[in-house]
Amino acid sequence: MSLFIFSALFNAFVAGLLGFVVILKNRKELINKLFFGLSISVVFWSLSYWKWLSSNNIDVALFWIRLLSVGSLFIPVFYTHWILSFLNLHNQKKNLIRVLYIIIFLIIPFSFSDLFIRGVVPKFIFPYWPNPGILYTFYLIFIYIGLTVYTMVILLRYYKKDSEKYKSIQYIILGSILGFGGGITNFFLWYDIPVFPYGNILVSFYPLMLVIASSKYHLFNIKIIATELLVFLIWATILFEFLIEESLKGQMVAGGLFVFMMVAGIWLIKSVIKEVRQREKIEKLAGELKAANEKLIELDKTKAGMYSFVSHQIKAPIGIIKGFAQLIYDGSYGAIPEKVKERVEDIKKSCDRLIKLVEDFLNLRKIEEGKMDYQFEEINIVDLAKSVFEELKLLAEQKKLEFTMECAEEKITVKADEQRLRQVILNLIENSIKYTPSGFVKVELGMENDSVLFSVSDSGIGIKKEVLSELFDQFKRAKEARAIQGTGLGLFVAREIVKAHNGEIWAESEGEGKGSGFYVKLKS
Amino acid sequence: MIFGAPKKSKIVIIDDEPSFLSIFSTALGKENFEVKTFSDPQEALKNIVGEKPDVILLDIKMPGLDGFQVFEYLKKDFGKNLPKVLFLTSLGETISGTAIDNHFAKTIGANGYIHKTDDLNNIVKKVKETIENQ
């Protein structure tokens, strides 16, 4: 008997606690009001249940049974209404809801008549167990079982089609099975079927699962609710201790502890709320960040397409201007005066600078995107360096520089991307020629232990010590070098290419006006 | 001359941009090459076998048929007698993300590539080297 009394009190406690927590969270939301209604119905039913089983008088027992029945009338109706609201079917099914409440209010006056409960008699271990009236059977079949089946059908239908709420619906279905399964064990004895109400204890899972389901749907946060439940439980226990304590000393200890736990509990709840809110904020920010990132990827694609377009569309006309300028310069269209020749050469040089600029930017983009592609193969670096040297001879001669190349070997094989390595060698020699107003530019190539060492040294403007370490960074150019045309990207691109070859690149200089040396070391 | 004058090497250039055709044919013509140009790739494919070229300079980006499609037709039309083919590209140009370089050209069966913005002397030199490496 005490087990059934305990289960009634337990249900009342859990349902009451959940009901108050939920309604205090948000008093305006219909769904919270309905949950509160459901919880209060369960509390009403449970407390009446406790009083009925504890009574030792037939009239008192009958009185509490009749009150219990009022609570049990509301439970399935609030439950159905809550589920319809949760699935946003409140407006669609408002007539059904209205009819249900009307039926309940029509039955209530009869709950104190024989039409609902015919009286109480001893049944098995229970001294006062009721016999059902005709209205009670109507309630059991159409309200209790009928509404449970109806809501279950709706839940299953939405479980399949509502991808957003399907997890929450899982919890509601589980709660319904536990609550309905537990609750129905109460009815057998009414009809003299020897099944005891052992499932009663499961009734509290009913509101609990609804809370969990809602929290999954972010209506109330389960973490906060769990903390609040824990804190209330501690308060209740200490308060109970305080009330049953007989000695003043004991009361003072329990009272002090209660006050302390009151403060600590509120602090704990506030901390959890703060943490949950922060997490929600982070989740929101993460969502926004994701959207921004997707937008950036899209923009990046547009940018890549634009670069490709620019590459072709800009370089083609520059190539044409450069080609015609060179043919005019060479006298292919007839002899031209020396002054015109000089200006045509300027046009050609400007075209070269523009082409270099576009190439540097294209390479920079590829490096930044990690899309610089390399085709490594065995190549003779001596041939490569010689061909670049020959190509730049004319440029050095025009500046009247002593332009030499030293290489003791006929062939040095390295695994490299020929086109890219050529770009590095060309860039370094060209730079030396550019930044050397007079004197020499010397290209050297040779073996150093297991590595190939390529170097260009000159008697040019030199580099300040403090600039040396930053020389290979993007857009870094020595102040003195700014008088000479360039993008400041060439050395950065060269460094990235050498890095991809697992090599080293560095510069040396004794200082301003003392010339400089650029070195590339690659594994042979 | 008992044996007659040495035969001039014949170069066919296919490029949709007439200015490039004019520049390359002038530069190569000066070097004693016989040059034939086509600005329409369809037109080029109709006549090219009869031209018996030694080297074909083939632009990549062309409206209608691009350089790679033209190259596939050339391989079919010439069979075993396919002349040397050098692609004309802009540096940094890619085809489906693949850089057009020597490695790429050789992989598909061509002989190399020329950057259209390179110095004309270097372009002429490259054509000469390609012919010499018979």
Side-chain angles (χ1 to χ4, degrees):
Chain A
M1 182 70 79
S2 58
L3 173 74
F4 304 114
I5 293 174
F6 170 76
S7 64
L9 285 172
F10 180 77
N11 288 340
F13 178 73
V14 174
L17 211 55
L18 288 170
F20 276 105
V21 166
V22 168
I23 198 70
L24 290 176
K25 278 277 150 272
N26 190 341
R27 271 172 257 187
K28 288 174 190 165
E29 286 282 340
L30 173 70
I31 200 155
N32 287 23
K33 286 184 199 165
L34 291 171
F35 184 83
F36 184 69
L38 173 67
S39 303
I40 292 304
S41 305
V42 173
V43 172
F44 195 80
W45 172 77
S46 301
L47 291 178
S48 307
Y49 203 105
W50 162 55
K51 291 297 283 176
W52 153 42
L53 291 187
S54 317
S55 56
N56 46 16
N57 173 315
I58 190 165
D59 293 328
V60 175
L62 185 60
F63 171 78
W64 286 112
I65 287 169
R66 290 192 189 284
L67 271 187
L68 169 151
S69 303
V70 175
S72 66
L73 278 168
F74 280 100
I75 295 172
V77 177
F78 276 128
Y79 166 74
T80 306
H81 195 172
W82 187 91
I83 285 173
L84 292 175
S85 295
F86 182 76
L87 297 174
N88 297 323
L89 295 171
H90 183 261
N91 287 334
Q92 209 179 316
K93 304 280 181 189
K94 62 181 175 201
N95 286 336
L96 170 79
I97 294 165
R98 229 174 265 164
V99 169
L100 284 174
Y101 284 110
I102 291 169
I103 291 173
I104 293 303
F105 283 103
L106 285 176
I107 293 176
I108 286 172
F110 295 98
S111 63
F112 278 78
S113 74
D114 287 350
L115 282 172
F116 203 73
I117 293 165
R118 281 193 283 119
V120 286
V121 289
K123 286 187 185 181
F124 304 96
I125 57 165
F126 300 97
Y128 314 110
W129 198 272
N131 279 325
I134 181 102
L135 274 176
Y136 190 84
T137 306
F138 171 84
Y139 151 77
L140 176 64
I141 294 169
F142 294 103
I143 309 288
Y144 189 84
I145 298 174
L147 287 181
T148 308
V149 172
Y150 170 74
T151 49
M152 200 59 89
V153 169
I154 287 190
L155 284 170
L156 288 173
R157 197 191 300 157
Y158 275 81
Y159 176 67
K160 283 177 194 156
K161 73 177 187 188
D162 195 331
S163 58
E164 210 179 302
K165 287 184 184 170
Y166 86 101
K167 271 196 172 174
S168 307
I169 296 173
Q170 271 181 339
Y171 283 100
I172 300 172
I173 292 172
L174 181 67
S176 306
I177 292 169
L178 290 172
F180 177 79
I184 199 128
T185 58
N186 281 296
F187 296 102
F188 294 100
L189 280 179
W190 288 63
Y191 297 93
D192 301 322
I193 302 162
V195 175
F196 287 12
Y198 286 116
N200 227 359
I201 192 90
L202 296 174
V203 172
S204 50
F205 282 91
Y206 209 20
L208 189 66
M209 285 297 156
L210 300 193
V211 170
I212 294 173
S214 310
S215 76
K216 289 274 164 193
Y217 197 55
H218 302 294
L219 284 180
F220 356 92
N221 193 292
I222 192 70
K223 206 172 172 184
I224 299 171
I225 290 168
T227 313
E228 285 168 342
L229 276 177
L230 181 74
V231 169
F232 290 148
L233 202 64
I234 293 169
W235 286 349
T237 312
I238 300 170
L239 193 65
F240 183 69
E241 277 287 316
F242 174 76
L243 292 175
I244 60 164
E245 191 58 64
E246 286 172 359
S247 70
L248 182 67
K249 195 180 164 193
Q251 278 182 342
M252 279 174 73
V253 171
L257 194 63
F258 182 73
V259 173
F260 173 75
M261 280 315 295
M262 200 78 169
V263 176
I266 289 167
W267 176 80
L268 182 68
I269 291 168
K270 276 188 173 174
S271 311
V272 172
I273 290 172
K274 199 176 162 192
E275 191 215 305
V276 167
R277 295 284 170 264
Q278 272 174 347
R279 207 191 60 208
E280 282 170 358
K281 209 172 164 186
I282 289 168
E283 274 172 13
K284 194 175 161 241
L285 285 174
E288 285 171 6
L289 204 64
K290 199 179 158 203
N293 197 33
E294 276 162 10
K295 209 171 172 185
L296 274 177
I297 291 169
E298 196 53 43
L299 272 174
D300 209 42
K301 275 186 196 161
T302 316
K303 197 177 82 178
M306 201 187 76
Y307 273 122
S308 179
F309 175 79
V310 166
S311 160
H312 190 72
Q313 299 301 324
I314 292 187
K315 280 164 86 182
I318 303 171
I320 291 167
I321 298 168
K322 181 185 165 181
F324 280 128
Q326 197 168 349
L327 290 173
I328 295 167
Y329 180 88
D330 291 346
S332 300
Y333 300 118
I336 52 165
E338 202 55 36
K339 273 196 171 173
V340 176
K341 207 172 173 180
E342 281 171 20
R343 297 291 79 82
V344 172
E345 199 186 357
D346 288 343
I347 294 172
K348 191 180 151 290
K349 278 182 185 167
S350 295
C351 288
D352 280 334
R353 279 210 311 274
L354 269 172
I355 291 163
K356 180 90 177 37
L357 180 78
V358 176
E359 281 166 8
D360 279 350
F361 273 107
L362 285 172
N363 282 325
L364 180 71
R365 176 182 69 91
K366 282 188 182 171
I367 289 165
E368 280 176 344
E369 289 179 353
K371 284 184 186 162
M372 192 87 154
D373 43 355
Y374 294 92
Q375 298 290 345
F376 290 101
E377 52 190 350
E378 302 269 324
I379 61 154
N380 182 2
I381 192 174
V382 180
D383 281 352
L384 179 68
K386 274 184 183 167
S387 85
V388 177
F389 175 78
E390 290 297 327
E391 197 180 319
L392 294 169
K393 233 176 182 173
L394 191 70
L395 189 68
E397 276 169 13
Q398 283 169 345
K399 290 185 82 174
K400 297 187 171 59
L401 298 174
E402 188 191 325
F403 188 50
T404 56
M405 178 168 172
E406 277 179 24
C407 180
E409 318 278 337
E410 275 290 309
K411 188 177 182 183
I412 302 173
T413 311
V414 288
K415 203 165 186 189
D417 180 318
E418 190 174 1
Q419 201 183 327
R420 303 270 180 232
L421 194 59
R422 183 187 166 82
Q423 210 177 326
V424 175
I425 293 172
L426 185 87
N427 186 283
L428 295 182
I429 304 177
E430 208 173 30
N431 269 353
S432 276
I433 297 172
K434 254 200 265 182
Y435 299 122
T436 304
S438 63
F440 71 89
V441 170
K442 189 175 170 188
V443 179
E444 285 171 283
L445 188 64
M447 292 299 292
E448 198 188 74
N449 301 323
D450 288 343
S451 303
V452 188
L453 185 67
F454 166 85
S455 70
V456 199
S457 46
D458 61 54
S459 57
I461 60 171
I463 309 157
K464 273 185 191 168
K465 287 257 185 271
E466 56 267 33
V467 181
L468 268 178
S469 59
E470 299 173 339
L471 207 61
F472 293 90
D473 293 343
Q474 268 184 61
F475 300 109
K476 282 282 174 190
R477 301 177 68 213
K479 203 172 152 193
E480 296 68 27
R482 283 180 198 148
I484 297 157
Q485 303 285 355
T487 57
L489 288 171
L491 287 179
F492 171 74
V493 172
R495 184 185 69 181
E496 295 303 309
I497 293 172
V498 172
K499 252 202 235 169
H501 283 77
N502 289 324
E504 291 171 60
I505 186 167
W506 72 95
E508 290 176 5
S509 176
E510 290 298 316
E512 279 179 277
K514 292 180 180 171
S516 54
F518 284 83
Y519 302 83
V520 175
K521 201 188 232 181
L522 296 172
K523 284 216 172 91
S524 172
Chain B
M1 281 254 192
I2 300 168
F3 302 105
K7 185 185 165 281
K8 274 186 179 181
S9 295
K10 188 166 190 176
I11 297 159
V12 167
I13 313 171
I14 307 169
D15 193 323
D16 64 305
E17 176 57 64
S19 297
F20 274 122
L21 289 176
S22 168
I23 292 164
F24 296 142
S25 59
T26 308
L28 291 163
K30 262 179 27 183
E31 298 293 323
N32 221 16
F33 289 115
E34 190 186 341
V35 184
K36 175 85 185 169
T37 61
F38 292 98
S39 60
D40 176 10
Q42 305 271 14
E43 181 72 21
L45 283 172
K46 271 186 211 159
N47 301 296
I48 198 158
V49 178
E51 295 288 343
K52 293 181 182 169
D54 296 290
V55 177
I56 299 168
L57 303 186
L58 180 55
D59 188 26
I60 302 245
K61 284 203 173 164
M62 289 186 289
L65 281 177
D66 69 28
F68 296 103
Q69 289 169 312
V70 173
F71 182 64
E72 288 307 311
Y73 281 118
L74 290 177
K75 282 203 278 191
K76 218 165 86 184
D77 293 350
F78 281 98
K80 284 179 185 171
N81 302 317
L82 180 72
K84 304 274 173 78
V85 176
L86 294 173
F87 285 117
L88 293 170
T89 77
S90 291
L91 185 72
E93 210 166 73
T94 57
I95 186 91
S96 305
T98 309
I100 298 149
D101 55 14
N102 274 333
H103 183 268
F104 177 77
K106 281 169 190 166
T107 306
I108 66 163
N111 299 78
Y113 69 95
I114 284 172
H115 283 150
K116 287 160 92 171
T117 49
D118 215 343
D119 267 17
L120 287 176
N121 297 334
N122 288 335
I123 293 175
V124 171
K125 199 174 145 197
K126 181 112 187 204
V127 173
K128 278 183 181 169
E129 280 171 5
T130 308
I131 292 172
E132 281 160 16
N133 291 332
Q134 290 282 0

